[in-house]
């Protein structure tokens, strides 16, 4: 009986340790996320730049800010810039902390965001190791050069909406390391209007 009670006590202690460890892990992760500061914004469009973004992305954000703060906005330049920012942020995995840290989400249309996140976590982001404590040794890709190949406007229908002047943009890119040359390197994006703002509504 004593041995049985001791075994039960040990099992309970192990379960408690596991539960406490899990909650500590979750809370530490959330705390770290909360501490990431926003260092720049385009308030009218709801875009924000966090301090943990790579230097190249920060430079692109300032370029976007300049485009959107101009007296006359060149919409095609706006469309091309957020395409570049999306490609860089989504397909660069090395700066991501976990598979749930999906890049480029602020450029995705709200109607498809949930499905987009699920697909990303089940495919491209699936095998990213956790890096909350900056001790990951996994080799992951970083996007290098991005080239906009073609831009055109055409009618695009989605759900019950029709955008007469949606942007269809063909883009290709490379990676900083040739070992990732077999990863996706080209795509066609469709950007639709929601009032004055453009969102990615389709990615192929």
């Amino acid at each position: 009986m004593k041995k049985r009670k001791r075994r039960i006590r040990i099992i309970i202690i192990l379960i408690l340790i596991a539960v406490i460890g899990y909650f500590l892990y979750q809370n530490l992760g959330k705390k770290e996320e909360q501490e990431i500061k926003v260092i720049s914004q385009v308030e009218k469009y709801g875009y924000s730049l966090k301090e943990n973004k790579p230097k190249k992305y920060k430079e692109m954000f300032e370029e976007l800010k300049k485009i959107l703060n101009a007296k006359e906005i060149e919409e095609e330049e706006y469309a091309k810039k957020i395409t570049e920012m999306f490609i860089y942020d989504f397909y660069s995995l090395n700066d991501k902390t976990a598979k749930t840290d999906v890049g480029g989400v602020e450029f995705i249309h709200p109607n498809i965001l949930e499905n987009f996140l699920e697909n990303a976590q089940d495919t491209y982001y699936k095998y990213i190791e956790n890096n909350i404590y900056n001790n990951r040794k996994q080799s992951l890709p970083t996007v290098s050069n991005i080239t906009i190949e073609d831009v055109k406007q055409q009618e695009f229908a989605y759900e019950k909406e029709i955008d007469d002047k949606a942007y269809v943009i063909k883009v290709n890119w490379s990676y900083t390391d040739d070992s990732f040359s077999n990863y996706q390197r080209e795509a066609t994006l469709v950007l639709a209007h929601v009032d004055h703002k453009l969102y990615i509504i389709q990615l192929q």
Side-chain angles (χ1 to χ4, degrees), residues 157-162:
Y158 59 98
E159 296 182 355
K160 295 180 180 179
E161 302 291 330
I162 296 176

Side-chain angles (χ1 to χ4, degrees), residues 45 75 78 109 158 163 192-199:
Y45 287 79
E75 194 176 65
Y78 168 33
H109 197 290
Y158 59 98
D163 189 337
H193 294 84
V194 177
D195 297 324
H196 59 282
K197 193 171 180 178
L198 288 169
Y199 285 99

Side-chain angles (χ1 to χ4, degrees), residues 143-161:
V143 172
S144 179
N145 299 316
I146 303 169
T147 304
I148 302 292
E149 289 188 335
D150 184 56
V151 181
K152 60 184 177 183
Q153 281 187 284
Q154 65 183 48
E155 182 181 289
F156 185 80
Y158 59 98
E159 296 182 355
K160 295 180 180 179
E161 302 291 330

Side-chain angles (χ1 to χ4, degrees), residues 47-102:
Y47 297 126
S48 60
L49 175 65
K50 293 182 178 178
E51 65 178 350
N52 64 333
K53 287 296 184 185
K55 182 182 176 182
K56 185 171 181 178
Y57 186 86
K58 289 176 180 176
E59 290 171 355
M60 288 192 284
F61 188 90
E62 292 307 314
E63 290 166 2
L64 173 66
K65 193 172 181 178
K66 188 175 180 180
I67 291 168
L68 297 178
N69 285 338
K71 287 183 179 179
E72 290 186 18
I73 295 172
E74 296 182 28
E75 194 176 65
E76 184 174 312
E77 293 304 309
Y78 168 33
K80 290 195 290 186
K81 185 54 62 180
I82 64 172
T83 295
E84 291 173 358
M85 292 174 74
F86 170 79
I87 294 299
Y88 183 83
D89 200 22
F90 181 78
Y91 290 98
S92 293
L93 301 182
N94 196 47
D95 62 313
K96 306 303 186 291
T97 57
K99 76 170 191 174
T100 53
D101 184 17
V102 178

Side-chain angles (χ1 to χ4, degrees), residues 116-154:
F116 173 81
L117 285 169
E118 286 180 8
N119 286 339
Q121 291 171 30
D122 288 342
T123 55
Y124 193 65
Y125 280 67
K126 186 174 183 178
Y127 299 106
I128 297 179
E129 295 173 6
N130 197 298
N131 196 36
I132 287 177
Y133 302 107
N134 294 314
N135 58 357
R136 182 174 62 204
K137 294 181 181 179
Q138 184 181 20
S139 180
L140 293 168
T142 298
V143 172
S144 179
N145 299 316
I146 303 169
T147 304
I148 302 292
E149 289 188 335
D150 184 56
V151 181
K152 60 184 177 183
Q153 281 187 284
Q154 65 183 48

